[in-house]
């Protein structure tokens, strides 16, 4: 049996608990791994609350991305052997001592990249990469990121800056120094945000990456003239109403290899700002669910 953390019913944090599940065997297209770290993302609590459907067999183990050591390679899988250090998208919940990865969305972990940072690359960092590529703004243009201080925003800012874009991001004043460390200009959200954006970018904003949705997105929609240059990871309904698009996920194992190389060379920092042991998984999820976490939070599994 292996220790895991999940939920027994759809709802709030009260539905979460630790679970014992049998050791998993790698099926076709899968890798069975001993988990060393798992990334914690907003999608985790959204799944638990049933916001993304209620078709999962319960109880369900939480977590979408993990890094660890290969125990077993499933039928039809090539390029991996037992003992390899890897990271990838989980096929059976990542908040656990042992899990399964989808081999086609996994990659070998570079020696220079720790398990903690590798565990952040498949969801938030890869989403940021997809969104920036979908916008395809080009060097010299200006990108506004709504909710820049979180895991996706932190990565998107760095990726955009590496492509020669100027970056603004909405965040609280408490996160000003952090946002500036990303090479971006912080804009305080709330009443008057459009005026503050205009002051920070007098030549205008060429694209918006929305990580918040709802009224916050509606409030800034007027800052871009071409609404198709709006991509949202948070609110497909409002994005469509405004003429924008939902992020199109296109991550491959090759993408993950490229992102890991950027981390290894120091060109991309996932900004792991919180590390929790597996037995404090509830606290890690709560930190992300609060909506105020900075950078990326991971679970470390010994």
């Amino acid at each position: 049996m292996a220790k895991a953390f999940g939920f027994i019913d759809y709802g709030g944090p009260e539905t979460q608990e630790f679970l014992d599940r049998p050791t998993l065997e790698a099926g076709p297209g899968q890798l069975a791994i001993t988990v060393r770290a798992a990334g914690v993302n907003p999608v985790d609590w959204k799944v638990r609350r049933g916001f993304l459907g209620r078709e999962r067999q319960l109880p369900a183990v939480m977590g979408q991305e993990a890094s660890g050591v290969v125990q077993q390679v499933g039928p039809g899988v090539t390029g991996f052997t037992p003992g390899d250090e890897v990271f990838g998208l989980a096929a059976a919940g990542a908040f656990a001592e042992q899990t399964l990865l989808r081999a086609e969305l996994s990659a070998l972990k570079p020696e220079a990249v720790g398990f903690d940072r590798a565990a952040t690359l498949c969801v938030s960092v890869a989403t940021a990469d997809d969104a920036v590529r979908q916008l395809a703004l080009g060097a010299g243009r200006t990108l506004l990121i709504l909710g820049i201080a979180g895991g996706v925003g932190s990565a998107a800012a760095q990726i955009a800056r590496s492509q020669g874009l100027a970056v603004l991001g909405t965040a609280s004043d408490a996160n000003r120094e952090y946002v500036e460390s990303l090479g971006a200009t912080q804009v305080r959200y709330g009443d008057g945000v459009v005026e503050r954006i205009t002051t920070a970018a007098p030549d205008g904003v060429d694209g918006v990456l929305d990580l918040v949705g709802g009224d916050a997105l509606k409030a800034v929609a007027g800052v871009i003239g071409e609404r198709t240059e709006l991509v949202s990871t948070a609110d497909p309904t409002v994005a469509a109403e405004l003429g924008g698009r939902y992020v199109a996920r296109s991550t491959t194992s090759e993408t993950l290899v490229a992102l890991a190389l950027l981390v290894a060379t120091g060109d991309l920092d996932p900004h792991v700002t919180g590390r929790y042991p597996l037995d404090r998984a509830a606290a890690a999820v709560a930190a992300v669910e609060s909506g105020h976490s900075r950078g990326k939070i991971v679970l470390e599994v010994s």
Side-chain angles (χ1 to χ4, degrees):
M1 302 293 284
K3 183 179 181 181
F5 184 77
F7 58 98
I8 60 174
D9 197 5
Y10 292 102
E14 71 280 357
T15 68
Q16 298 172 165
E17 64 179 47
F18 283 97
L19 310 166
D20 287 322
R21 70 175 177 185
T23 300
L24 303 172
E25 299 290 326
Q30 296 179 335
L31 301 171
I33 70 164
T34 300
V35 177
R36 295 290 299 275
V40 185
N41 298 283
V43 67
D44 299 321
W45 63 262
K46 292 178 182 179
V47 167
R48 188 205 66 220
R49 287 189 177 272
F51 293 166
L52 303 179
R54 294 176 175 248
E55 296 80 25
R56 284 174 169 74
Q57 182 177 348
L58 301 178
V61 177
M62 300 175 71
Q64 310 290 316
E65 58 184 349
S67 63
V69 180
V70 175
Q71 298 172 318
Q72 183 186 41
V73 177
V77 176
T78 59
F80 300 96
T81 59
D84 284 343
E85 296 182 350
V86 297
F87 64 99
L89 279 178
F95 298 173
E97 294 174 328
Q98 188 251 3
T99 195
L100 302 174
L101 298 184
R102 297 166 56 186
E104 82 279 8
L105 288 172
S106 298
L108 297 172
K109 182 185 75 64
E111 185 176 354
V113 179
F115 284 107
D116 57 344
R117 295 194 295 168
T120 72
L121 299 180
C122 299
V123 176
S124 60
V125 175
T127 298
D129 182 64
D130 285 340
V132 173
R133 283 191 287 110
Q134 188 174 351
L135 282 166
L137 293 178
R141 304 184 76 188
T142 299
L143 172 66
L144 170 66
I145 301 176
L146 302 187
I148 194 173
V152 177
S154 297
Q158 295 174 77
I159 293 169
R161 290 285 295 136
S162 73
Q163 296 176 5
L165 276 71
V167 179
L168 288 73
T170 61
S172 67
D173 286 339
N175 282 322
R176 176 183 292 275
E177 289 187 9
Y178 175 71
V179 173
E180 291 175 348
S181 77
L182 301 172
T185 299
Q186 179 257 0
V187 177
R188 178 168 50 84
Y189 51 72
D191 292 342
V193 65
V194 171
E195 290 76 9
R196 289 189 289 275
I197 291 170
T198 302
T199 299
D203 294 331
V205 170
D206 300 301
V208 173
L209 171 54
D210 165 54
L211 310 175
V212 181
D215 291 340
L217 174 54
K218 293 177 183 178
V220 305
V223 303
I224 51 171
E226 182 53 66
R227 294 291 181 86
T228 57
E229 300 297 350
L230 160 63
V231 169
S232 177
T233 71
D235 198 331
T237 301
V238 171
E241 289 174 357
L242 296 172
R245 300 164 286 167
Y246 193 57
V247 64
R249 298 306 314 275
S250 57
T251 301
T252 65
S253 60
E254 290 76 18
T255 303
L256 296 179
V257 169
L259 292 174
L261 180 60
L262 289 176
V263 176
T265 58
D267 295 315
L268 175 64
D269 184 351
H271 284 279
V272 178
T273 58
R275 296 173 175 81
Y276 294 74
L278 180 59
D279 62 10
R280 294 195 63 216
V285 174
V288 172
E289 193 166 2
S290 73
H292 300 297
S293 60
R294 176 189 296 176
K296 186 73 178 185
I297 288 176
V298 300
L299 293 176
E300 294 185 316
V301 185
S302 59

